[in-house]
Amino acid sequence: KILLISFSTNARKEMEKRLAERLPNHPTTEMCRTFHSIGLDIFREEVDPSRSWVVDTTGRLWRKTIRESAKKMGIRLKQQGLGLTVKTIAAVASMAKTQMLISAPALRRLGRVEPGLKELASEVAGADIADDVISIIHGAENIRETTGIEDAGGHYRFVTFDDMLFTTAHVLRQQDKRERWAQRWTFVMQDECQYSSLVQDESAEALCSAHRNYMVVGDPQQAIYGFRGASPERMLAFEDAWPGATTIVMNRNYRSGAEVVDVANRIIGKMPPSTIIAPSMVCERKTRAFVGCHEFTDETSEA
């Protein structure tokens, strides 16, 4: 009844290894999961389980579907560079799904465009082609979900890694399905919370809705996945979102020398107070270290 969620497969394996050492006879594989593996389980059980779905592990089917969508609309895509390319459209679609900015199929077919999607498309692709990008994405989603795409002699309806999370969040918005899945675990613990996006946060909160036993671990100062939709502000607002929650600050550093911790503290001291949990770290080892700082004129001289 305990679910441990991690951000990546490598982190999950490390968590599973440590747990197996403490509980040698327990099936830790079922306890330690990634958001994607949970999302795929929910997708397979809840989204038309009578039909087969292919997992597009390389993204090739999705790129082909984007090209097919543009072709049906008579829009000519550029092969490379900036502007209306498959790469740009795929990037907008990926970010839109992490931010829940793609409408549900029924609303999308009625012409619904989520607030914020036009702004995102303009920011990533450019305001002059934002409408075309959105139209191609919506068309590609319709192909992926309904007719499928021809590839290598087969006809496939498929799901991407982004869809595993995005569809899961939509499924868990339905009360009966949310209640059913929230009963599967009694405690949910999430690692590397600073890396999670809106779609992951929404799914995790839905899985905790029945018991509200939810624990997250993370370091907002290490939030480096903003380009994937990660937002440490949601972690910092955890106590507001979950009344009664307790924050345990872990600011004792056992790894680095005093000079490294000192430089880190000075950098953290320049950050807005609303973006940090611990104002400073404490160096426990008291060993010496060296910190070097070098400036370069360009990437070549740095290399």
Side-chain angles (χ1 to χ4, degrees):
K1 302 297 287 186
I2 298 174
L3 173 64
L4 306 177
I5 314 176
S6 193
F7 174 75
S8 67
T9 300
N10 286 338
R12 179 197 62 76
K13 289 179 179 177
E14 177 64 25
M15 191 159 57
E16 185 180 324
K17 175 185 173 184
R18 296 184 186 189
L19 193 60
E21 291 172 353
R22 299 188 181 205
L23 302 172
N25 299 317
H26 198 86
T28 55
T29 301
E30 285 302 308
M31 291 177 65
C32 303
R33 306 287 297 276
T34 63
F35 274 108
H36 288 95
S37 70
I38 296 169
L40 185 57
D41 282 354
I42 294 175
F43 185 94
R44 283 173 168 162
E45 285 194 32
E46 303 292 352
V47 182
D48 199 358
S50 63
R51 298 186 63 174
S52 61
W53 293 81
V54 172
V55 179
D56 184 20
T57 55
T58 65
R60 183 170 58 87
L61 294 176
W62 177 234
R63 292 190 293 271
K64 187 170 184 177
T65 305
I66 289 173
R67 287 191 287 269
E68 180 66 20
S69 175
K71 182 180 177 181
K72 284 188 173 184
M73 296 177 185
I75 300 175
R76 187 178 182 84
L77 299 181
K78 295 176 64 177
Q79 295 302 310
Q80 56 186 0
L82 302 174
L84 205 57
T85 65
V86 172
K87 183 177 180 180
T88 299
I89 296 167
V92 174
S94 179
M95 183 66 81
K97 288 176 181 178
T98 66
Q99 299 302 309
M100 298 297 290
L101 294 178
I102 303 290
S103 300
L107 294 175
R108 196 170 61 240
R109 285 190 276 274
L110 291 172
R112 164 80 172 179
V113 176
E114 291 295 320
L117 181 56
K118 178 69 175 289
E119 181 181 348
L120 173 65
S122 298
E123 181 181 329
V124 176
D128 55 327
I129 60 172
D131 289 334
D132 284 343
V133 168
I134 294 170
S135 296
I136 293 170
I137 290 173
H138 282 184
E141 282 294 292
N142 291 339
I143 294 170
R144 183 188 67 78
E145 294 169 345
T146 55
T147 61
I149 190 77
E150 294 281 352
D151 185 73
H155 197 84
Y156 303 107
R157 287 172 59 184
F158 63 91
V159 55
T160 67
F161 286 114
D162 287 327
D163 295 319
M164 293 177 195
L165 304 181
F166 174 72
T167 306
T168 291
H170 267 294
V171 165
L172 294 177
R173 285 180 174 180
Q174 301 172 42
Q175 184 173 349
D176 59 331
K177 294 177 180 178
R178 181 174 64 254
E179 290 177 353
R180 185 165 65 250
W181 281 92
Q183 297 294 335
R184 296 207 177 190
W185 299 281
T186 307
F187 298 90
V188 176
M189 305 179 186
Q190 180 183 344
D191 189 25
E192 303 285 16
C193 187
Q194 75 274 7
Y195 295 152
S196 66
S197 60
L198 177 60
V199 68
Q200 292 169 323
D201 287 342
E202 185 170 321
S203 297
E205 290 174 8
L207 294 175
C208 300
S209 58
H211 49 72
R212 298 188 65 79
N213 295 318
Y214 187 24
M215 174 181 174
V216 301
V217 180
D219 181 359
Q221 282 100 258
Q222 294 187 48
I224 59 174
Y225 286 97
F227 63 94
R228 289 185 183 173
S231 175
E233 287 78 15
R234 285 191 291 275
M235 180 184 173
L236 291 162
F238 189 86
E239 284 186 320
D240 294 331
W242 294 82
T246 300
T247 296
I248 300 172
V249 177
M250 304 172 70
N251 65 331
R252 298 165 68 186
N253 184 298
Y254 295 89
R255 178 182 296 174
S256 306
E259 288 79 4
V260 173
V261 175
D262 178 59
V263 169
N265 280 335
R266 280 188 277 164
I267 293 172
I268 293 170
K270 301 293 184 181
M271 297 171 66
S274 62
T275 65
I276 61 175
I277 290 179
S280 64
M281 292 181 289
V282 177
C283 180
E284 294 288 341
R285 292 180 60 188
K286 308 300 182 185
T287 55
R288 304 304 301 249
F290 173 76
V291 178
C293 179
H294 305 275
E295 290 189 24
F296 301 93
T297 55
D298 54 38
E299 293 165 346
T300 302
S301 60
E302 181 183 357

